[in-house]
Amino acid sequence: MSFTDNFDETGPTNLEDRTPSGGGAWTLVSGAAGAAVVAANVLKANSTTASVYTCTDQGSADQVATFRSKIFATTNTNSFVCISLVDVDNFIGWRLNGTGSTGRRLTKRVAGVNTDLITSQGVDEEWIKLERSGHTVKFYQGGTGASPSWTPVGADQTVTNFSGETSQGVRTADSSGNAWIDDIELAALAGAATSYVMPRSAYKFQHLMVR
């Protein structure tokens, strides 16, 4: 069992109004309607109001999130793909914080305060994976190919916060309107696809080929 969405529609469609590719539902838990929108076959952050969307609950505190980062030259520093998602100010997540050597970040947010657990060089159009098992959090990059090939980023992290939380999703607080992420899978760690590749549209393949 897993929750998947390839955001394949021209839109714009508010994320809370979209039917995900793999079924289930996105739920706007807090924040502004339309804070995230699906347009031009990607997900975009669309409001500076901090907002949380959760996927259909996968029923486990041991979690995995995989997705493709679409934004690089511009940044969405306040928007995250989240595991162990309690609310807008408490979660573990990925964010992109620029194009330099610390652009790719694994962040723990507790009571509204960000602590970067791992910082490393971000790469345009790369696959990202977050995993949590018990108190161990792992961070991976999967390259820029049509399907990921996973390599660990940094050392495993010990995080005791939110250890019983089962929610996953996205937290947005940027209004750039730029392409942000694509091809997401959110799942219980035990139920995730071992070689998951989201179906990709002809538009996306063409976009990758001409870069």
Side-chain angles (χ1 to χ4, degrees), residues 7 9 37-44 70 179-182 204:
F7 306 119
E9 62 176 275
V37 298
V38 180
N41 303 290
V42 294
L43 185 63
K44 301 181 178 185
K70 300 293 288 186
W180 179 43
I181 63 166
D182 200 4
K204 293 173 187 169

Side-chain angles (χ1 to χ4, degrees), residues 31-125:
V37 298
V38 180
N41 303 290
V42 294
L43 185 63
K44 301 181 178 185
N46 196 50
S47 173
T48 56
T49 300
S51 304
V52 166
Y53 292 86
T54 57
C55 71
T56 302
D57 198 320
Q58 301 300 295
S60 177
D62 293 338
Q63 300 174 346
V64 60
T66 67
F67 56 94
R68 193 177 189 103
S69 167
K70 300 293 288 186
I71 197 167
F72 188 68
T74 54
T75 61
N76 279 28
T77 59
N78 297 307
S79 296
F80 300 78
V81 176
C82 304
I83 57 176
S84 302
L85 174 54
V86 178
D87 56 33
V88 71
D89 280 328
N90 296 277
F91 53 80
I92 298 166
W94 160 92
R95 62 176 171 144
L96 190 65
N97 199 63
T99 61
S101 61
T102 62
R104 181 203 291 133
R105 299 192 179 199
L106 175 67
T107 300
K108 176 178 71 172
R109 185 175 177 89
V110 180
V113 177
N114 291 334
T115 300
D116 290 324
L117 304 174
I118 297 174
T119 62
S120 55
Q121 178 68 56
V123 177
D124 197 7
E125 301 262 0

